Amino acid sequence: MLNAIIVTLRPIALAIVSHFGRATCALIVACSTAMSVHAQTASGEAQALKVGVLPNVSVRVILANYKPLREYLARELKSAVEIVSAPDFAAYHARTQEGEYDIAVTAANLGRLAQLDHGHRPIAIFEPGIPALAIVLKSSPPASLHDLRGKTLALSNPQSLVALRGFAWLAEQGLQRDTHYRTIHVRNYDSLGRVLDSGEAPLAIMSAGEFRAIAPAMRDKLQVWNEFARVPGFLVIAKPTMPPAQQARIQGLFHAFTASEDGKAFGGLTGVRAIRTVADDELKSIDPFIAETRAGLRAVK
């Protein structure tokens, strides 16, 4: 079992090595392995339920934030549960489509795409919606959006619904991507702060969660210039091959989660206040962003 866990975590570890260094990577893998081993049943025979989580923040933060969910599901299902992720949005979505995760917690546009293209089943959505933010340096905020003409805007996840909604917001103000401004894609949310601080970009588009995850010393130099939208929260989807009875059981557990003590702890870490059924019209409202989502995913292959 330990070998299987290490294999699961190796792609994440390799991605982390390149950015954080081998010492940090080793610590994350050790903690991840310990968490997965702890979740196993006493006999070690049951196959773990694999829950994928979108890598919108670091693996270290994901493991800490989703520990209450892992413990809750393991206790209620009386079986092993693993929390896993991927190096980036594109890799995560590819693994989701391939059925690597039994349950995937993902961006609403990526979840809708997995539903349309591969038959994944939406079972829940996180509330409240995600604030989409325009972040600037406190010491030199733009006077208006027109100051962004000819400039570079920064973002870390161009396939995210926050980024796509940001491009639409700018277009509504008469600013077309690659015509009136350029974009730069950086490795993570901390890098977004450094790009702003260096003057390379006057504005960054990110989610409230990404902004919250920036190191305090850097975050104190920044400010929310505009909350231009609230996009749907993370979508919870089940892989198409999951038996209906198992899907119904897990769906019920997700819906009851936020009322539990573990759910309250999860809410304190993530800001999630409710997990509910997602309506068909909510899913259809994401469709205007699907073509651009597909294009963005193809661009990184």
Side-chain angles (χ1 to χ4, degrees), residues 2-299:
L2 182 58
N3 289 337
I5 295 169
I6 291 172
V7 168
T8 298
L9 293 168
R10 184 173 291 120
I12 304 171
L14 291 174
I16 299 170
V17 165
S18 64
H19 182 66
F20 293 100
R22 293 185 178 276
T24 303
C25 177
L27 176 61
I28 291 172
V29 172
C31 292
S32 306
T33 301
M35 289 172 66
S36 295
V37 170
H38 178 72
Q40 300 308 305
T41 57
S43 66
E45 294 176 357
Q47 185 175 357
L49 179 79
K50 190 173 291 187
V51 179
V53 178
L54 185 77
N56 67 312
V57 293
S58 71
V59 175
R60 174 184 59 79
V61 173
I62 287 172
L63 290 174
N65 286 358
Y66 280 78
K67 181 181 178 183
L69 176 63
R70 181 186 62 79
E71 293 181 342
Y72 165 81
L73 291 175
R75 183 176 63 251
E76 296 296 325
L77 293 171
K78 296 180 173 57
S79 68
V81 176
E82 295 179 4
I83 301 296
V84 294
S85 191
D88 53 49
F89 274 40
Y92 180 79
H93 185 67
R95 294 176 190 182
T96 299
Q97 292 188 122
E98 291 163 3
E100 184 169 325
Y101 314 124
D102 299 303
I103 296 292
V105 179
T106 190
N109 58 322
L110 297 179
R112 176 62 167 166
L113 187 59
Q115 178 194 21
L116 293 173
D117 289 357
H118 292 272
H120 284 70
R121 303 166 189 161
I123 62 173
I125 192 168
F126 287 2
E127 287 284 5
I130 299 169
L133 308 177
I135 303 296
V136 300
L137 204 62
K138 282 181 182 178
S139 60
S140 56
S144 71
L145 279 174
H146 295 293
D147 288 351
L148 303 178
R149 286 179 178 270
K151 302 293 179 62
T152 298
L153 275 59
L155 57 152
S156 61
N157 297 307
Q159 300 87 24
S160 73
L161 191 53
V162 166
L164 298 182
R165 185 63 187 86
F167 301 148
W169 166 62
L170 291 168
E172 291 162 6
Q173 311 305 314
L175 297 174
Q176 297 293 333
R177 186 183 181 190
D178 298 326
T179 299
H180 300 111
Y181 66 91
R182 300 175 299 278
T183 58
I184 181 173
H185 306 157
V186 298
R187 296 176 66 93
N188 55 45
Y189 41 83
D190 276 328
S191 297
L192 286 175
R194 287 192 289 271
V195 166
L196 292 173
D197 193 33
S198 70
E200 186 176 354
L203 183 144
I205 293 173
M206 65 182 83
S207 69
E210 290 173 320
F211 183 57
R212 192 167 52 241
I214 294 174
M218 177 60 70
R219 191 172 64 242
D220 288 345
K221 297 181 179 182
L222 309 175
Q223 70 179 33
V224 177
W225 192 61
N226 194 308
E227 180 181 323
F228 55 84
R230 285 217 170 207
V231 303
F234 280 180
L235 199 61
V236 183
I237 57 176
K239 69 180 182 180
T241 56
M242 178 175 286
Q246 183 186 20
Q247 177 187 312
R249 170 70 170 142
I250 292 172
Q251 183 174 24
L253 290 175
F254 267 94
H255 290 176
F257 176 52
T258 52
S260 69
E261 289 304 313
D262 286 321
K264 292 172 185 175
F266 180 74
L269 292 166
T270 63
V272 174
R273 297 289 176 258
I275 301 176
R276 59 169 177 80
T277 301
V278 57
D280 286 343
D281 60 348
E282 290 180 278
L283 294 169
K284 290 177 182 177
S285 73
I286 303 166
D287 289 352
F289 297 99
I290 290 300
E292 196 170 355
T293 300
R294 281 200 183 97
L297 290 168
R298 285 196 299 268

